Amino acid sequence: MTGLFGGAFDPPHLGHAALLSRASEHFALERLVVLVVADPGHKRVHADAAARLELARAAFPDAEVEIDPHARTVDLLREGRFADPLFLIGADELVDLPTWKEPEEVLRLARLGVATRPGYPQERLEAALAQLDRPERVLFFEIDPVPVSSSEVRDRIARGESIDELVPAGVARAIERYGLYRS
């Protein structure tokens, strides 16, 4: 099984690292591929794709890390490059799955590994599953909460505050080296 973890990673943080580590352990993944979306269609990015690629390589040293030229997950999966893909997402993304481009096709092409955390509203997950034709393609695993977001990291950098407890050490060094996110 190949674990696929995609995102803007603008920048990657400890929450991303925890999700990937726990998924790898829980599913005994044979291969981990981190996909840095070059131009996300759903959000603005603050660093260019090359910088975010380097940050992701620093955050996920045990994974294959590459640029994903596709703005939408279904387009990546249609290429068929990955054997037995398990696309890793957080619980909030599962709730938003109906807004994705061709969500049922995503579920046909890959299973979803969904990270949940203690206290996440079970009724939200159940409502999301009820909207899917293939709920059996959704596999859950639990992670400890890591209260951090990329926007919080960027905001702290812009204010000149430390990010050491929010990102892997290699990410902090790369951000400093390249002067990223400084307003």
Side-chain angles (χ1 to χ4, degrees):
M1 184 181 327
T2 301
L4 303 177
F5 187 38
F9 302 112
D10 192 26
H13 52 67
L14 291 175
H16 294 131
L19 186 151
L20 193 62
S21 174
R22 181 68 184 114
S24 179
E25 175 186 295
H26 181 82
F27 295 111
L29 297 172
E30 298 160 20
R31 183 178 175 203
L32 284 171
V33 182
V34 173
L35 301 154
V36 178
V37 181
D39 185 16
H42 63 289
K43 67 166 75 173
R44 176 177 171 257
V45 290
H46 302 270
D48 66 32
R52 292 181 290 112
L53 178 67
E54 184 167 336
L55 294 176
R57 286 183 173 146
F60 313 112
D62 297 328
E64 299 170 42
V65 181
E66 62 185 67
I67 289 288
D68 178 2
H70 306 94
R72 304 289 188 235
T73 301
V74 70
D75 298 324
L76 167 79
L77 294 172
R78 277 197 177 110
E79 288 186 346
R81 293 190 304 131
F82 303 104
D84 193 14
L86 177 69
F87 201 83
L88 303 169
I89 62 174
D92 289 337
E93 291 173 278
L94 175 65
V95 171
D96 290 339
L97 185 65
T99 69
W100 291 22
K101 179 183 176 185
E102 301 179 51
E104 291 300 337
E105 183 69 359
V106 169
L107 284 173
R108 187 185 73 74
L109 296 169
R111 288 176 287 169
L112 294 182
V114 179
T116 62
R117 59 189 183 276
Y120 191 86
Q122 188 65 33
E123 60 277 1
R124 290 187 75 199
L125 296 175
E126 290 168 6
L129 285 176
Q131 295 181 44
L132 301 175
D133 290 341
R134 298 171 177 252
E136 74 282 357
R137 304 276 292 163
V138 178
L139 310 173
F140 293 96
F141 65 104
E142 193 164 296
I143 61 171
D144 291 329
V146 182
V148 60
S149 68
S150 293
S151 60
E152 177 186 3
V153 174
R154 292 190 306 268
D155 290 348
R156 280 200 184 186
I157 293 167
R159 292 191 305 263
E161 297 173 7
S162 172
I163 59 167
D164 291 343
E165 72 281 4
L166 303 178
V167 300
V171 172
R173 286 191 299 272
I175 288 170
E176 180 66 28
R177 184 170 54 249
Y178 294 107
L180 298 171
Y181 309 113
R182 301 220 185 279
S183 68

